Amino acid sequence: MIFLKKIKKARGFLAGVILSATAFFFIHAKSNDSYFEISKNLDIYTNLFKELNNYYVDPIEPGKLVKTGIDAMLDDLDPYTNYITESDIEDYEFMTTGKYGGIGASMRRKGDEIYIGDVYENSPAQKAGLHPGDLVESIDNQPVKGKTIDDLSMLLKGSPGTQINMKIKDAFTHNELQKMVTRGEIEISSVPYFSLIGDQNNIAYVRLTQFTQGCARQVKDAFDSLQRVQPALKGLVLDLRNNPGGLLEEAVGICNLFIDKGQLVVSTKGKIPELDKDYKTPSNIWNKDLPLTVLVNHSSASASEIVAGTMQDLDRGVIIGERSYGKGLVQVTRPLGFNARLKLTIARYYTPSGRCIQMLDYAHRNADGSVGFIPDSLKKSYKTKTGRTVRSGGGVEPDAFIKDEPMSMIAVTLYTKNYLFDYATEYASKHPTIPAASKFSLTDDEFNQFSKWVENKDYSYKTETEMQLDSLEKIATKEKYYDNAKGEFEALKGKLSHDKKQDLLKHKDQVKQMLENEIASRYYYTRGRIAQGLQYDKDVDRALALITQPSEYQKILKPGK
C-alpha cells in the first residue's frame, strides 16, 4: 500500500452526505451532461434509501446498509479504494503508525478454543506472564470459546492504562490462573531485526516489514548501530520481502540513505494535473559507496517497489529474489464527515527511469468482471542509469532471480492444524533455555521425537496430484465415462496414494526448519524467528556472495564494463 499523509439520524446523516457530494461534483463536473447524470443518480439513491427506511417490512440498519452499498460500488474500481468507517479508523491508523492500544499478543484459534499465539517482547502480555500456548477461557468474565479473532481483538484493544482480567489455563503447568493485564500503547516496530552477518560479521542486515511513520529513521538508526559495532562494513542487505508498503514519503526517505540529495525518486501522475508531483531526496546521503542488495519477493509491494525500483533504475543496488507484487498506484484519504474517510487511488507512480510497475489493469475489466494483467503490447522498455533494460507493467524484476521453494502439503497441514505450534509449546515447557536463535537447530534425535509425537495425530491431507485426480473423476462421472474407467481410476489412486511417514522424511528439511522457527520464537520473539530463519536463507546467501565478490556485483550493475 502507498498512502500520502493527511491531506441522530439516518436521514440527517444521508442528507449531509448527499449535499456534500453534490457540491463537490457540481464544482468539478466537466460538463452539464456529466453533472446531470451524477445529480440524477444521487437523487435516485436518496429516494431509494428513504423508501427502504419508511416502508421495508423490518427495521433497517442505516450505517450497515450504506456501507454495503458503498463497498459494492467501490468493488468496481481497484482493491485499494476503500470506505473507512468510524469503527475501522483505529485499524487504519495502525497500518500507518504501527501503534495501537492493547496487550501485545496475538490470538490463535484451534477449533472453538482460543490460545495465546505470539507474545510481543516487553509487552503488557509478557509482563503479566502470558506465553504462547496458554488457553484463554474468559476475558473480563466473558467466555471466549467459539468467538472469532475479530471478536477477541475488540475485547483486548483499548486505551492504555485500562485493565482487563483474563482467565487462562497455563500451557506449562495446566493450572487455571487469573491474569490482570494493564493495556499499553503497543508499537510494532517496522524494523524488528537487524544484525551483522557473514563469515566475518562485516555485512549489515536490516529487515523492514512495513513503511510506517518514522521507519526511514529506524532503518538509518539500525545501520548506524551496526556500523558503530563494525566500522569496516563491506556491504548492506535491506530485506523488503513480504513488505506490503505504506507511506510514500518514508520510501523516499529510505532511498535517501543510499542516493544523493536532490535525486528524483518517484513521480506521481493522475487525473488532476495540479496533484502531480515529483519526489526528490531532501537530505544528505547516508552512504553512497557500500555495495547494497535489496531482497524482494511476490509479496513486496507498493512502497517496497519504489525503493527496489529506484535502486535498480539508478544502479545503486542489486535486487535479489522474485518478481515483486506489481502495485504502481497511490492512495490518499479524504474526510467524509462523522470521522469516516475514503481511501482512494488518485495517481500512478513512476520510478526514475519513467516506468510504472503496475501489473493489473483495473481500468479494463473482462466481461466476467475479473481483472487481467497489463498486456505485453502495452509494456515498455526503459533504461537504467548505466543503460540496463528494465520493463514496465509487471512489478520489479530482480537482477538475481531466486525461486522461492513452494510449501509441501505436509508442511502446510502440520502448520494449519497447529501441530508445529503445539509441539513448540511442549518443547519450551521442557527446555528452559536454548542457544542463540541464529545458532539454534534441532538434532536428528530431537526431530525423531517430533516425528513420533505427531505419528498418531490426524494430519491427513491430499497432495495436488490427488486433488487433480479427484477433479478428473468428477468430470468423468459427469460426462458418464467413469463406469468404464473405474478400474483404472482405482489403480491410479493406489499408486498415487501418499504415505505420511514417507512424506515427513521426504520433506524433513522444510518441516524441521518451520518447527525450529516456531521454537525459536518462544524464547526470542519476532527477532528470534528472523534470526533463526537466516540460517537457511538462499536470498541472503546470494546477497553475501555478491557483496563478497565485487566483480560479480559490478558485472550485474555495469554489464559489459
Side-chain angles (χ1 to χ4, degrees), residues 3 6 84 88-100 210 212-213 333 339 341:
F3 301 124
K6 294 179 181 178
I84 305 169
D88 293 332
I89 286 295
E90 186 175 348
D91 289 338
Y92 169 75
E93 295 291 352
F94 171 66
M95 292 168 63
T96 58
T97 66
K99 299 178 182 178
Y100 70 96
Q210 196 162 344
T212 53
Q213 290 175 8
T333 59
N339 208 26
R341 299 183 198 176

Side-chain angles (χ1 to χ4, degrees), residues 58-73:
D58 295 317
I60 66 172
E61 298 181 52
K64 183 178 180 181
L65 206 61
V66 168
K67 186 176 189 312
T68 300
I70 292 174
D71 288 344
M73 175 174 65

Side-chain angles (χ1 to χ4, degrees), residues 7 31 57 91-92 109 112 158 163 219 223 236 292 311 361 402 406 413 436 515 550:
I7 35 177
S31 68
V57 63
D91 289 338
Y92 169 75
R109 185 169 175 169
D112 284 339
Q163 291 186 318
V219 171
F223 279 127
L236 312 170
L292 169 69
M311 296 302 102
D361 185 6
I402 299 178
T413 304
L515 181 58

Side-chain angles (χ1 to χ4, degrees), residues 101-122:
I103 69 168
S106 66
M107 298 291 118
R108 182 181 287 251
R109 185 169 175 169
K110 293 193 287 182
D112 284 339
E113 295 185 320
I114 303 296
Y115 291 80
I116 301 290
D118 285 328
V119 173
Y120 306 146
E121 194 167 8
N122 299 318

Side-chain angles (χ1 to χ4, degrees), residues 65-332:
L65 206 61
V66 168
K67 186 176 189 312
T68 300
I70 292 174
D71 288 344
M73 175 174 65
L74 298 182
D75 278 345
D76 278 344
L77 304 178
D78 62 53
Y80 316 110
T81 298
N82 310 123
Y83 172 49
I84 305 169
T85 64
E86 183 176 11
S87 60
D88 293 332
I89 286 295
E90 186 175 348
D91 289 338
Y92 169 75
E93 295 291 352
F94 171 66
M95 292 168 63
T96 58
T97 66
K99 299 178 182 178
Y100 70 96
I103 69 168
S106 66
M107 298 291 118
R108 182 181 287 251
R109 185 169 175 169
K110 293 193 287 182
D112 284 339
E113 295 185 320
I114 303 296
Y115 291 80
I116 301 290
D118 285 328
V119 173
Y120 306 146
E121 194 167 8
N122 299 318
S123 67
Q126 185 205 23
K127 293 172 184 176
L130 298 174
H131 39 68
D134 290 345
L135 172 65
V136 182
E137 297 182 340
S138 67
I139 298 175
D140 285 340
N141 298 317
Q142 294 187 47
V144 300
K145 188 173 184 178
K147 288 188 179 294
T148 67
I149 298 299
D150 286 341
D151 292 336
L152 290 168
S153 180
M154 294 293 290
L155 292 173
L156 294 171
K157 289 181 178 178
S159 300
T162 57
Q163 291 186 318
I164 55 174
N165 182 23
M166 299 181 67
K167 182 180 179 182
I168 61 110
K169 180 178 284 187
D170 188 275
F172 296 166
T173 66
H174 305 295
N175 294 330
E176 287 190 342
L177 302 171
Q178 296 285 343
K179 297 282 188 179
M180 190 65 70
V181 188
T182 302
R183 295 185 181 96
E185 182 178 82
I186 309 302
E187 182 172 1
I188 308 299
S189 176
S190 292
V191 181
Y193 183 77
F194 57 92
S195 178
L196 293 169
I197 59 175
D199 293 339
Q200 305 299 319
N201 282 329
N202 57 3
I203 296 172
Y205 170 91
V206 174
R207 170 75 65 91
L208 178 66
T209 57
Q210 196 162 344
F211 287 77
T212 53
Q213 290 175 8
C215 72
R217 168 60 62 180
Q218 292 180 41
V219 171
K220 180 182 181 298
D221 288 347
F223 279 127
D224 279 340
S225 176
L226 296 173
Q227 193 169 47
R228 283 193 293 270
V229 175
Q230 174 55 276
L233 284 178
K234 294 298 183 183
L236 312 170
V237 181
L238 178 62
D239 192 345
L240 300 180
R241 290 174 297 180
N242 302 310
N243 184 323
L247 299 173
L248 184 149
E249 289 90 345
E250 296 296 334
V252 175
I254 287 172
C255 289
N256 201 169
L257 298 177
F258 314 113
I259 55 179
D260 288 321
K261 180 179 180 179
Q263 169 65 52
L264 177 66
V265 171
V266 63
S267 302
T268 61
K269 298 177 184 179
K271 183 167 63 176
I272 304 174
E274 292 80 5
L275 297 180
D276 294 350
K277 186 174 179 180
D278 291 342
Y279 291 83
K280 297 182 179 180
T281 48
S283 307
N284 293 326
I285 193 171
W286 177 76
N287 185 286
K288 64 179 179 180
D289 298 319
L290 285 173
L292 169 69
T293 55
V294 181
L295 311 185
V296 297
N297 63 7
H298 290 322
S299 297
S300 302
S302 197
S304 296
E305 295 174 290
I306 287 179
V307 174
T310 299
M311 296 302 102
Q312 188 176 60
D313 282 2
L314 301 178
D315 302 298
R316 175 59 185 91
V318 173
I319 313 304
I320 297 173
E322 295 184 297
R323 177 183 51 76
S324 65
Y325 183 82
K327 179 180 178 290
L329 305 175
V330 182
Q331 286 76 45
V332 297

Side-chain angles (χ1 to χ4, degrees), residues 313-539:
D313 282 2
L314 301 178
D315 302 298
R316 175 59 185 91
V318 173
I319 313 304
I320 297 173
E322 295 184 297
R323 177 183 51 76
S324 65
Y325 183 82
K327 179 180 178 290
L329 305 175
V330 182
Q331 286 76 45
V332 297
T333 59
R334 302 283 301 177
L336 299 176
F338 299 93
N339 208 26
R341 299 183 198 176
L342 173 66
K343 179 169 70 72
L344 75 160
T345 299
I346 64 162
R348 292 177 177 83
Y349 72 77
Y350 300 82
T351 60
S353 67
R355 59 176 166 154
C356 178
I357 54 82
Q358 177 63 26
M359 185 168 63
L360 295 177
D361 185 6
Y362 294 106
H364 302 91
R365 291 180 179 265
N366 300 319
D368 62 357
S370 62
V371 179
F373 295 101
I374 301 291
D376 289 341
S377 59
L378 295 182
K379 293 181 180 179
K380 296 180 180 179
S381 295
Y382 297 84
K383 294 295 183 181
T384 70
K385 192 174 181 179
T386 62
R388 296 185 297 147
T389 299
V390 291
R391 299 263 288 168
S392 67
V396 176
E397 289 285 349
D399 303 309
F401 178 79
I402 299 178
K403 185 172 177 57
D404 196 16
E405 182 183 355
M407 295 292 292
S408 63
M409 281 305 300
I410 189 169
V412 170
T413 304
L414 290 172
Y415 175 81
T416 56
K417 287 184 174 287
N418 292 298
Y419 292 134
L420 300 178
F421 179 84
D422 290 344
Y423 192 79
T425 301
E426 186 167 316
Y427 187 96
S429 71
K430 297 175 180 177
H431 299 80
T433 62
I434 62 171
S438 60
K439 300 182 183 303
F440 171 70
S441 63
L442 295 171
T443 66
D444 286 340
D445 285 343
E446 287 177 318
F447 185 78
N448 289 337
Q449 290 173 27
F450 167 73
S451 300
K452 291 178 182 177
W453 179 86
V454 81
E455 196 171 87
N456 296 319
K457 307 290 184 184
D458 175 21
Y459 61 100
S460 57
Y461 57 90
K462 288 187 176 182
T463 63
E464 187 173 345
T465 303
E466 289 173 314
M467 288 188 284
Q468 291 291 338
L469 184 59
D470 285 347
S471 177
L472 181 60
E473 186 175 328
K474 289 178 182 177
I475 294 172
T477 300
K478 180 180 178 181
E479 296 182 346
K480 303 187 185 306
Y481 290 115
Y482 178 74
D483 288 343
N484 290 335
K486 183 176 180 180
E488 287 83 351
F489 269 106
E490 294 299 328
L492 191 55
K493 278 185 179 181
K495 290 181 179 180
L496 296 177
S497 178
H498 65 277
D499 183 317
K500 291 193 297 185
K501 286 185 178 180
Q502 289 301 314
D503 279 1
L504 190 56
L505 289 174
K506 181 180 178 182
H507 299 286
K508 174 184 174 180
D509 288 346
Q510 192 176 72
V511 174
K512 181 172 174 285
Q513 291 169 25
M514 292 174 66
L515 181 58
E516 290 168 348
N517 200 257
E518 187 65 45
I519 291 172
S521 73
R522 303 305 172 91
Y523 301 87
Y524 301 107
Y525 308 96
T526 300
R527 59 186 171 86
R529 284 190 188 277
I530 299 171
Q532 195 281 328
L534 293 181
Q535 295 182 61
Y536 309 104
D537 199 315
K538 294 179 181 178
D539 293 21

